[in-house]
């Protein structure tokens, strides 16, 4: 991958770099960096940026009838010199510059991860009361919207209640975000299931265009922003094996790491298994 582009870099996030094209558009480049527990690992996962960009692009197209997204209709070849465009063509998109909505829109269809931990303690997920007696990885009676704060690089996202979300972005906007996020998830989860993948939960990012229209942005329904399980190995009561960076997360959990930077060095075989799972998700979903 080319490290330097002729465009001006405006932001480097956990896994994406943004470059300025003009006042209305920018280039989003997905790197091979991996973030786990909000810490960027030292070892890149080679090929990850390309695979995740292809998965996202597939979903942006498939869900475009639900709401507008950040695509401008241009390609990298419209905005970069030929050699640079070739180098980043599979990992970069030309996107509208939007004003980010300041929350993470998390949607859960199954009880897992931090939701399962909270449920065991209090019978709730993000302050939403759930029926008693649910088991780990069980499908929820209905899809729930469980927003979180958007952390700066190095900080942790924090689960918040819908009321707190409404305080941050306004009640009307919060209701719109909740409705759209649930609709996007529900349609995507139904499709993925026909391909043998359960999407247990996912995180969407939204922005506002110059007219204040809510717009889907960033990445969509990738193994980095979602929890993917294989239908064939899914069993209620156990944490199903994942299609995503859960390999890395599980290894880190077992390593005794305190989740503060720096992260321990992840073994090669764990990284290799992770990228193989990413590739499998791309092939299964988009074939």
């Amino acid at each position: 991958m080319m490290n330097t582009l002729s465009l001006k870099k405006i932001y480097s996030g956990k896994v994406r770099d943004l470059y300025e094209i003009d006042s209305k558009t920018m280039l989003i480049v997905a790197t091979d960096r991996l973030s786990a527990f909000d810490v960027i690992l030292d070892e890149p996962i080679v090929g990850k940026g390309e695979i995740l960009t292809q998965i996202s692009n597939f979903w942006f197209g498939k869900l475009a009838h639900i709401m507008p997204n950040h695509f401008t209709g241009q390609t990298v070849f419209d905005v970069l010199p030929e050699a640079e465009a070739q180098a980043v063509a599979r990992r970069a998109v030309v996107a509208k510059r939007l004003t980010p909505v300041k929350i993470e829109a998390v949607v859960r269809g199954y009880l897992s991860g931090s939701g399962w931990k909270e449920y065991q303690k209090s019978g709730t997920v993000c302050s939403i009361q759930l029926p008693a007696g649910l088991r780990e990885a069980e499908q929820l009676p209905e899809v729930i919207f469980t927003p979180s704060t958007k952390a700066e690089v190095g900080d942790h996202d924090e689960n918040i209640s819908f009321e707190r979300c409404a305080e941050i972005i306004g009640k009307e906007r919060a209701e719109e975000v909740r409705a759209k996020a649930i609709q996007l998830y529900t349609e995507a989860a139904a499709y993925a299931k026909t391909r043998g993948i359960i999407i247990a939960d996912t995180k969407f990012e939204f922005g506002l265009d110059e007219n204040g229209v809510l717009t889907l942005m960033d990445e969509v329904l990738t193994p980095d922003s979602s929890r993917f399980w294989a239908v064939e190995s899914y069993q209620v009561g156990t944490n199903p094996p994942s299609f995503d960076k859960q390999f890395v997360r599980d290894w880190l959990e077992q390593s005794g790491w305190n989740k503060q930077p720096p992260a321990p060095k992840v073994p090669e075989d764990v990284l290799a298994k992770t990228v193989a799972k990413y590739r499998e998700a791309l092939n299964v979903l988009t074939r």
Side-chain angles (χ1 to χ4, degrees):
M1 179 195 162
M2 183 172 285
N3 291 323
T4 52
L5 294 177
S6 49
L7 297 173
K8 176 186 165 195
K9 187 187 275 191
I10 47 178
Y11 180 73
S12 212
K14 290 173 191 165
V15 296
R16 272 175 294 283
D17 294 333
L18 310 183
Y19 296 84
E20 182 176 272
I21 296 171
D22 56 34
S23 64
K24 292 191 173 178
T25 57
M26 63 182 176
L27 190 73
I28 303 177
V29 181
T31 72
D32 289 339
R33 295 193 292 269
L34 185 73
S35 159
F37 303 108
D38 299 311
V39 175
I40 297 166
L41 307 186
D42 285 340
E43 300 80 26
I45 291 196
V46 179
K48 165 181 172 280
E50 290 193 5
I51 295 167
L52 295 191
T53 300
Q54 302 312 307
I55 294 175
S56 266
N57 290 356
F58 165 76
W59 287 118
F60 276 123
K62 190 158 193 60
L63 301 171
H65 62 284
I66 293 177
M67 67 186 303
N69 61 50
H70 68 191
F71 283 159
T72 65
Q74 292 170 294
T75 75
V76 291
F77 294 94
D78 297 321
V79 299
L80 288 174
E82 180 74 18
E84 291 181 22
Q86 290 283 4
V88 299
R90 292 182 60 77
R91 62 170 71 240
V93 294
V94 180
K96 298 169 193 164
R97 294 181 75 163
L98 303 164
T99 305
V101 173
K102 292 192 181 315
I103 57 113
E104 303 267 10
V106 180
V107 183
R108 301 169 192 266
Y110 292 75
L111 192 54
S112 190
S114 63
W116 168 241
K117 284 178 183 163
E118 182 188 327
Y119 176 78
Q120 287 174 287
K121 287 185 192 139
S122 58
T124 60
V125 174
C126 292
S127 311
I128 297 170
Q129 191 67 48
L130 294 176
L134 295 178
R135 293 176 293 164
E136 184 172 19
E138 189 160 348
Q139 186 167 10
L140 296 169
E142 60 182 350
V143 174
I144 56 173
F145 173 66
T146 59
S148 70
T149 57
K150 229 182 228 194
E152 295 299 317
V153 173
D155 288 340
H156 292 284
D157 296 342
E158 232 174 274
N159 293 343
I160 54 174
S161 66
F162 180 75
E163 289 67 34
R164 178 76 189 109
C165 169
E167 283 170 19
I168 297 170
I169 64 172
K171 186 168 185 292
E172 209 171 298
R173 186 68 75 189
E175 285 171 354
E176 185 185 12
V177 164
R178 176 170 63 185
K180 289 294 186 189
I182 287 174
Q183 190 183 353
L184 291 164
Y185 168 83
T186 302
E187 184 156 325
Y191 168 78
K193 212 161 186 185
T194 69
R195 290 288 192 264
I197 293 178
I198 291 169
I199 304 177
D201 51 49
T202 195
K203 173 179 77 176
F204 296 110
E205 305 247 9
F206 296 108
L208 305 178
D209 72 7
E210 56 200 355
N211 301 314
V213 175
L214 191 68
T215 306
L216 185 60
M217 66 176 205
D218 206 38
E219 66 175 317
V220 185
L221 295 150
T222 70
D224 255 23
S225 64
S226 322
R227 206 182 302 263
F228 286 6
W229 298 329
V231 169
E232 62 188 20
S233 55
Y234 170 69
Q235 217 177 339
V236 177
T238 60
N239 185 21
S242 243
F243 258 89
D244 52 21
K245 63 181 178 186
Q246 207 58 37
F247 272 126
V248 176
R249 293 169 71 93
D250 290 347
W251 184 86
L252 289 168
E253 286 269 24
Q254 288 154 15
S255 72
W257 176 47
N258 65 358
K259 299 179 186 167
Q260 297 301 314
K265 187 172 170 54
V266 179
E268 281 297 320
D269 66 315
V270 176
L271 298 176
K273 278 182 191 163
T274 302
V275 80
K277 272 296 180 192
Y278 283 156
R279 204 172 292 284
E280 189 183 336
L282 172 65
N283 293 337
V284 168
L285 287 169
T286 66
R287 65 166 182 250

